């Protein structure tokens, strides 16, 4: 990684400072002074002080933050207990064990009743179709969540039960997850782009008692008949001896049939008419409304249940260490792991990372484009922003529909101040040139963010120069489903940025770089990225398989949490993620292991089958090597076209 030869800088208009670094590959960009001036952390020195305290005195540091939340009962024992060393016994992490709280109460009731934010917009919802919009205030969200909590309780859902959620990006998805949290049930959200097999596998793995889904939705031009997929999944579960007795269905595509007053809510009806999209809407009326099949005795309409539900609901008071949710992460090998996060630690961590990493202020309009089906959406669409009383955009569509103006027109429409997306989206939009971006004002933007994979400096510089008009710091946030929230990241008002580097650790994070023998490397170094001590948002176990948790993250280097990512630290102490370690091939293996390790055939490949977060799907590579076209569930693959290329170029002599 390194900076491209040519760097584009604007002259007098640039307020981003460019500095000569201590040499080497990257010069850094200082935080713009006007961002620093009002920032929670206004300088690198202040960041260093806070960071030092957070890792040296984690109990005091997080204890102070915990005081800003509501605890039904205080922490009776030690604030933090843990073991990171497999040679010393079971791996465990406990933050505030014995304290009781409820995360839904903290992110809704308190905002409405104590902080008087009831009339503040929690979400501007922007549908797939431009012009289809609604908004929901904190008060309205609280009412709907209470109603749906009552619905779930009436269906027999209790604390500790698992509820599967398979929905597009609509407000009911947020309502459903918060209602689970309110009654102490674990939500297990399955991304609506996943197949019925994936859904079935996830329902079975954590034996979910109930499924919440949606009739159908459009993703760009593409109709997704979600109910049909949900039915297939439940059919498969039944065949495997696990009948799910209840499926609650949101009428979304067929919402118009419900009449303009969305009976489930006190929020304004979804607006569908907007002068400049009349043409589009006419086109849309030609769109198919799929027939929804109905399983008597199992399926229930969301809107019917909500009509009868009371709008007050006492939250379930949970232990800080009770599980909050399960989110499956598709490993490169084996079946997906059910990553378990807990109530207290996750709440502190997502609230704090959201506040500092996006330098949140009350008047912000925040937009994270990630789907709630991923951890990014859990932490930075739902829990983090709501914990801070923020206003966010909830977007159902895609960046290229109806055209590549979409993201920037939404930024202007809602005056988005903080914008968080993935390098793939940036690279995609870059291909269409500057004009679709620059023809929009974007004057509201203050901070930009990225997540998901290393961002190449070229894309970083385009994002900075074109999208952010050189005024907006970019926070390149490195983290994982397993970490719950940001781990390595700049702070917008404090950290000089280097394009392609996730810079420094967040508060409470103590990174190290290890060599193959497990020795900590100092200074400039490259090796395995690990973390030396727990932060509140760390996962606690793999659902139903604690041994897999220990083996995957703690066995290779006892005493450390192992990320599985390779990393370099430069002379200025900046961290640069080099990618998943399991992607690297040991070269010259023949000498080390012997002639048996000589590859039979080396095939050049323009790309490998990867999951969306960049994990190589080894299972698929093995099938290709065997010329076996029965690849199984491929719904997690990022780019299916590489597979046909690999098949057509494989060596014909391999048996
Ligand atoms: C893997 C985690 C965290 C939410 C999205 C993905 C890669 C993530 C960065 C970044 C370089 C990154 C790592 C990590 N990754 N963010 N800013 N720079 N790499 O979550 O599916 O759990 O994947 O994504 O390889 O281990 P995930």
């Amino acid at each position: 990684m390194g900076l491209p030869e040519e760097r584009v800088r604007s002259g007098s208009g640039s307020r981003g400072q460019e500095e000569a670094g201590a040499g080497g590959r990257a010069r850094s960009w200082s935080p713009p002074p006007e961002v620093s001036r009002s920032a929670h952390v206004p300088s690198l020195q202040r960041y260093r002080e806070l960071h030092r305290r957070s890792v040296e005195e984690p109990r005091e540091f997080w204890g102070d933050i915990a005081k800003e939340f509501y605890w039904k009962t205080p922490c009776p024992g030690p604030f933090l207990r843990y073991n990171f060393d497999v040679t010393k016994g079971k791996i465990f992490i406990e933050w505030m064990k014995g304290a009781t709280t409820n995360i839904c109460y903290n992110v809704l009731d308190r905002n409405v009743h104590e902080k008087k934010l009831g009339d503040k917009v929690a979400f501007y919802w922007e549908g797939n179709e431009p012009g289809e919009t609604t908004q929901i205030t904190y008060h309205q969200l609280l009412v709907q969540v209470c109603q749906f909590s009552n619905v779930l309780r009436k269906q027999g859902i209790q604390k500790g039960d698992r509820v599967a959620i398979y929905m597009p990006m609509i407000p009911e998805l947020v309502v459903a997850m918060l209602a689970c949290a309110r009654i102490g049930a674990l939500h297990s959200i399955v991304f609506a782009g996943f197949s019925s097999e994936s859904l079935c596998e996830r329902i079975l793995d954590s034996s979910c008692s109930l499924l919440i889904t949606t009739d159908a939705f459009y993703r760009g031009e593409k109709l997704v008949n979600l109910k049909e997929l949900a039915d297939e999944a439940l059919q498969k579960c039944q065949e495997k001896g696990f009948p799910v007795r209840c499926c609650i269905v949101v009428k979304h595509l067929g919402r118009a049939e419900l009449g303009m007053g969305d009976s489930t809510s006190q929020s304004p009806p979804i607006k569908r008419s907007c002068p400049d999209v009349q043409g589009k809407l006419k086109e849309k009326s030609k769109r198919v409304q799929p027939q929804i099949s109905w399983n008597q005795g199992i399926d229930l309409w969301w809107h019917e249940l909500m009509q009868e539900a009371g709008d007050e609901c006492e939250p379930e008071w949970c232990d800080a260490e009770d599980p909050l949710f399960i989110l499956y992460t598709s490993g490169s090998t084996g079946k997906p792991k059910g990553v378990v996060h807990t109530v207290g630690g996750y709440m502190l961590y997502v609230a704090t990372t959201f506040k500092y990493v996006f330098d949140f202020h009350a008047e912000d309009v925040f937009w994270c484009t990630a789907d709630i089906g991923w951890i990014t959406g859990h932490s930075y669409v739902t829990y983090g922003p709501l914990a801070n009383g923020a206003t966010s955009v909830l977007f159902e569509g895609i960046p290229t529909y109806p055209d590549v103006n979409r993201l920037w027109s939404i930024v202007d429409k809602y005056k988005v101040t903080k914008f968080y997306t993935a390098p793939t989206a940036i690279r995609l939009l870059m291909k269409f040139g500057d004009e679709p971006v620059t023809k929009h004002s974007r004057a509201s933007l203050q901070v930009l963010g990225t997540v998901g994979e290393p961002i190449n400096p070229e894309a970083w510089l385009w994002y900075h120069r074109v999208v952010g008009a050189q005024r907006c710091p970019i926070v390149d946030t490195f983290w994982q489903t397993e970490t719950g929230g940001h781990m390595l990241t700049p702070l917008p008002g404090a950290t000089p940025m280097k394009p392609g580097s996730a810079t420094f650790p967040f508060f409470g994070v103590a990174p190290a770089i290890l060599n193959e023998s497990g020795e900590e490397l100092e200074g400039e170094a490259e090796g395995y990225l690990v973390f030396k001590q727990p932060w509140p948002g760390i996962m606690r176990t793999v659902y139903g398989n604690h041994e897999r948790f220990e083996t995957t993250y703690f066995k290779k280097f006892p005493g450390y949490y192992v990320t599985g990512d390779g990393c370099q630290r430069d002379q200025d102490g900046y961290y640069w993620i080099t990618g998943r370690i399991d992607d690297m091939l040991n070269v010259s293996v023949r000498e080390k292991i012997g002639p048996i390790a000589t590859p039979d055939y080396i095939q050049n490949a323009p790309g490998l089958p990867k999951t969306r977060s960049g994990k190589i799907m080894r299972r698929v590579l093995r099938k290709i090597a065997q010329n076996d076209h029965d690849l199984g569930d491929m719904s997690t693959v990022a780019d299916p076209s590489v597979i046909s290329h690999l098949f057509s170029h494989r060596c014909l002599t391999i048996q």
Side-chain angles (χ1 to χ4, degrees), residues 375-376 451-454 476-481 565 577 580 613:
I375 190 69
T376 310
V451 56
E453 59 180 306
D476 175 351
T477 60
F478 166 83
W479 58 296
Q480 306 176 302
T481 305
D565 284 295
I577 303 294
R580 307 285 310 168
S613 62

Side-chain angles (χ1 to χ4, degrees), residues 166-168 170 212-217 224-228 230 248-253 292 301:
Y166 187 51
M167 290 166 87
I170 55 178
I212 309 166
T213 188
T214 305
D215 52 355
F217 66 99
V224 181
N225 191 339
L226 202 64
K227 175 64 165 58
E228 191 171 276
I248 299 178
V249 188
V250 173
K251 193 172 261 201
H252 172 53
L253 205 63
I292 301 300
W301 283 117

